[in-house]
Structure formats: C-alpha cells, structure tokens
Amino acid sequence: MSQAVDPSAPILLFDSGVGGLSVLAELRKQLPQAPVIYAADNAGLPYGDKTEAQIAARVSGLLGRMTERFHPRLVCIACNTASTIALGMVREVLEVPIVGTVPAIKPAAAMTRTGTIGLLGTEATIRQGYVDRLEHEFAQGKRLLRAAAPALVAAAEARLRGEPVDPQVYAAAADALRMQPGGEAIDTVVLACTHFPLVEPELAQAFGPGVRFVHGAEGIARRIAFLTQGQEFQRLRPDLALFTRDGEESARLADSLKTYGLLRIEIL
Ligand code: DGL
C-alpha cells in the first residue's frame, strides 16, 4: 500500500464544525509534513440534536462526495457523534482507510482514583449503544455518569470566531455531572466531543482542582501516523478548510483556521 500512495494525497479530517481541530492540533505535532483537508459540515451543525438516521445519511453522503473529489489517503471522522453512529456504515461504503473518534472511557477508567468518571458529550453521543459497550468493556466496577452539553459546542464555535462566551455555560456543564447522585466523587471527565478540548481551560476552571480531563485526540493522531507509516508526504498547496455552507461564520473563523495551518477556505 505504501508505494501506491500519491505523496500529495491529503489526510481528510471531518467534523460538523471546528471540533476536529482538536484532533488536527495533535496530528500536526506527529505528522507536520502531511497535507490536510479539514472538512466542517457547518450546514449540518450541530449533529448532537439530530437523529441517528439524519447523521448517518449526512456523514456517509458527504464523505462519499469528498473522497471522490479529493482522493484522500485516509479519512478521520474527528467527531464522536458521527463516529459512534456512522463509523461502521462509512467503513463499509468507502474504500479508503477510516479512523474514528471514540469516547476515551478506557484511559479514563485507568486514571480515576475515586472510581467515578464523568462523560460530557452531545445528546446523540451519550445515548449510543457504542458508549454502553465501551462502558461495559472498559469501566467495569466504575461509575460512569453521562451528561449532554450541547452549549459547549456553540461555545467552542464562538470562541474560535473570537466572540465572548458567558462563563455560566461551563459552570452549567460541570453542574450537569456533579449534581447527579454520586457526582461529587467525579475526579476524571471524558471529553467525548471533539469540540470540548477547545474549551478545556474554561472547563478546568469550572470544575476546579482535582478533576482531570481525558480525550482521544493524541491517540487518534498516533493511529493515523501508524496507518500512514512509510508513506511519503508532499504539500503542493497550502492546506484547505472545506465548509458545506457559505456564510459569515466560516469567514469569521479564518484567523483561527490559520493558526492550525489551514490557509485556504473553500465551499463544497
Ligand atoms: N464535534 C462533534 C462531536 O465530537 C459534535 C458537535 C455537534 O455537531 O453537535 O461529537
């Protein structure tokens, strides 16, 4: 496989919005030379309040179009909501290697000292059987408390557009876990949405000392580096940010996108 890959073929990262940039930041550390397309389905944002059928249709349809057009060497679904719902289906229809984003319950279970783990995700993610299976497999004997925090998705988007965010949003997310029975014992919080590491400092302040956060970005980047081992990389043009809808929001993200090395913007 390694010889056949075009050195300029990009790695395509996909999310509903800017969340996947938390994965891109880790990927840049491990594979700075890799050409990247960062795709945000801003026309479908947020995914968290959509049905499984809507999300599966959007993700597989868009990734089909994008892989036909851009011929990526690998696709990373840098979104927990899309991965927990549509990863299997996308793998069946696309021939390109696909890396998904799975809530980091396994490392959280290894880290917790109190045995109580919090998980923040979107509404769609926290109800997935995929999460039940991870809990069953990796968090036996631990308590896993889940809360949906859709306002954090909007907060991360606003932050990257340079807009102010009401700190109450972060306090409310912390309360949604802590107010549950047994929630005061939480010492480890899984950020099960790729948007959330983008507001980790604010969340850390809201939770206070003694709580650690865990997410999958570094492990995902490692997996991508492993799967592309031995391949050549050549960046012929500046990396691209691709949106599904034109509008002011994407233009207002341009400065933040530049800090992630995304110097061009296009609409699909
Ligand atoms: N970033 C996405 C995730 O990891 C979801 C945000 C949304 O569209 O609701 O789940």
Side-chain angles (χ1 to χ4, degrees):
M1 185 177 107
S2 51
Q3 279 99 332
V5 172
D6 169 1
S8 68
I11 292 172
L12 191 144
L13 278 80
F14 177 88
D15 182 36
S16 54
V18 297
L21 294 174
S22 60
V23 177
L24 179 57
E26 288 300 328
L27 187 66
R28 293 295 196 201
K29 290 185 200 160
Q30 297 189 34
L31 289 178
Q33 72 282 28
V36 163
I37 294 179
Y38 182 82
D41 179 17
N42 60 330
L45 179 79
Y47 279 1
D49 64 6
K50 298 198 164 38
T51 65
E52 281 70 3
Q54 286 172 321
I55 293 164
R58 283 200 85 84
V59 173
S60 51
L62 284 169
L63 286 178
R65 280 170 65 193
M66 289 174 185
T67 50
E68 251 172 50
R69 178 156 158 206
F70 296 103
H71 306 289
R73 69 181 75 204
L74 180 145
V75 169
C76 171
I77 304 182
C79 173
N80 289 259
T81 312
S83 298
T84 54
I85 291 169
L87 186 58
M89 180 178 181
V90 172
R91 281 201 171 123
E92 267 171 41
V93 293
L94 298 185
E95 280 175 19
V96 63
I98 315 274
V99 174
T101 311
V102 166
I105 293 173
K106 186 180 176 183
M111 274 165 64
T112 181
R113 297 211 178 91
T114 60
T116 303
I117 303 164
L119 182 145
L120 290 173
T122 66
E123 263 169 76
T125 296
I126 66 165
R127 66 170 180 257
Q128 293 311 308
Y130 202 119
V131 180
D132 301 338
R133 287 193 291 280
L134 290 173
E135 178 178 1
H136 182 75
E137 195 173 343
F138 300 116
Q140 292 271 353
K142 318 274 185 224
R143 173 181 277 184
L144 181 76
L145 302 175
R146 308 179 193 184
L152 293 181
V153 175
E157 294 282 335
R159 191 183 196 275
L160 268 71
R161 288 194 302 262
E163 295 163 14
V165 176
D166 179 355
Q168 190 47 38
V169 164
Y170 307 111
D175 285 350
L177 284 175
R178 284 233 171 101
M179 303 301 226
Q180 295 183 37
E184 67 290 340
I186 290 171
D187 66 346
T188 307
V189 174
V190 180
L191 301 179
C193 168
T194 52
H195 278 75
F196 300 171
L198 300 174
V199 292
E200 190 175 322
E202 290 84 351
L203 285 171
Q205 209 165 9
F207 275 91
V211 172
R212 291 194 291 172
F213 297 93
V214 56
H215 59 83
E218 196 189 327
I220 296 160
R222 230 182 295 122
R223 179 82 189 137
I224 295 172
F226 173 77
L227 289 173
T228 56
Q229 231 171 18
Q231 295 179 5
E232 282 181 34
F233 294 100
Q234 192 185 11
R235 185 180 286 115
L236 297 178
R237 301 179 68 187
D239 285 343
L240 174 69
L242 185 69
F243 289 90
T244 53
R245 183 178 62 197
D246 204 355
E248 257 178 64
E249 321 101 70
S250 43
R252 272 188 269 136
L253 285 169
D255 286 345
S256 286
L257 295 172
K258 274 186 202 139
T259 67
Y260 289 87
L262 301 167
L263 305 183
R264 294 184 296 134
I265 295 182
E266 273 181 30
I267 311 302
L268 183 71

